[in-house]
Amino acid sequence: RTAITAELLSALTNKWNLQPASFGVVGHSLGCGTVERTGDETWSRVCLAGYPSSRGSSSLFVGSNNDGAVPLARALQALQALNFSRLDQDYLKAKKYQSTFPKRSYLIFEGENAPNHISFLAEGPCDSMVQFLSPLLPLARFLGIPVLDFDKYQISKDS
């Protein structure tokens, strides 16, 4: 991952001659580890359905109480220790927010219809994986074996 990220940044600045004023990185699940290791303290970071970043001055974590792969309690414990500020889901939906958020913020989707672990990903790849795994998913549900929430996504289709 580090080599891919370094090559991409090199291409953006050298080959395509882009000169960004700032940088940011987004990761999902294990990709939050890449978020943690990429760039320096000036980079903005977004972690989806994984573990919050402890680096940088600007960071957002987005999680869900319906994530079967990453226990919410684990993330909340880290968010509290890292002094993140909670963003209220209903407040944001009502568009009552101002133009800026605290530099280290988190949003947790709650309720029975909250996103599952892979709901944060694009529909096409999720649907392809469900199609590939579909013979196993009913058995996984019956046995209570989580399959990175593809079993949940097969029902919810909420990408």
Side-chain angles (χ1 to χ4, degrees), residues 14-95:
N14 298 326
K15 186 175 183 178
W16 295 312
N17 202 30
L18 295 175
Q19 302 302 317
S22 61
F23 290 94
V25 60
V26 177
H28 173 266
S29 193
L30 286 175
C32 294
T34 301
V35 166
E36 187 72 6
R37 289 186 303 275
T38 301
D40 60 28
E41 301 306 309
T42 65
W43 284 48
S44 295
R45 292 170 163 73
V46 178
C47 293
L48 305 170
Y51 198 76
S53 176
S54 63
R55 291 189 60 208
S57 61
S58 181
S59 187
L60 173 66
F61 173 82
V62 181
S64 171
N65 72 321
N66 200 22
D67 187 332
V70 177
L72 183 58
R74 179 177 172 244
L76 289 172
Q77 188 176 35
L79 291 162
Q80 183 178 16
L82 294 167
N83 295 315
F84 274 64
S85 298
R86 185 169 186 152
L87 301 173
D88 182 79
Q89 177 180 338
D90 295 327
Y91 188 74
L92 293 173
K93 282 183 181 177
K95 297 185 179 176

Side-chain angles (χ1 to χ4, degrees), residues 1 10 44 47 141 154-155:
R1 293 181 186 162
S10 175
S44 295
C47 293
R141 261 194 303 281
Q154 185 181 37
I155 297 166

Side-chain angles (χ1 to χ4, degrees), residues 66-133:
N66 200 22
D67 187 332
V70 177
L72 183 58
R74 179 177 172 244
L76 289 172
Q77 188 176 35
L79 291 162
Q80 183 178 16
L82 294 167
N83 295 315
F84 274 64
S85 298
R86 185 169 186 152
L87 301 173
D88 182 79
Q89 177 180 338
D90 295 327
Y91 188 74
L92 293 173
K93 282 183 181 177
K95 297 185 179 176
K96 295 179 181 177
Y97 52 87
Q98 298 180 11
S99 61
T100 61
F101 298 114
K103 291 285 190 181
R104 297 174 69 77
S105 301
Y106 71 98
L107 174 65
I108 303 297
F109 290 100
E110 298 180 281
E112 69 178 53
N113 293 322
N116 61 64
H117 189 71
I118 64 164
S119 299
F120 295 99
L121 302 175
E123 182 178 12
C126 288
D127 289 347
S128 294
M129 286 300 297
V130 165
Q131 184 179 2
F132 177 74
L133 295 169

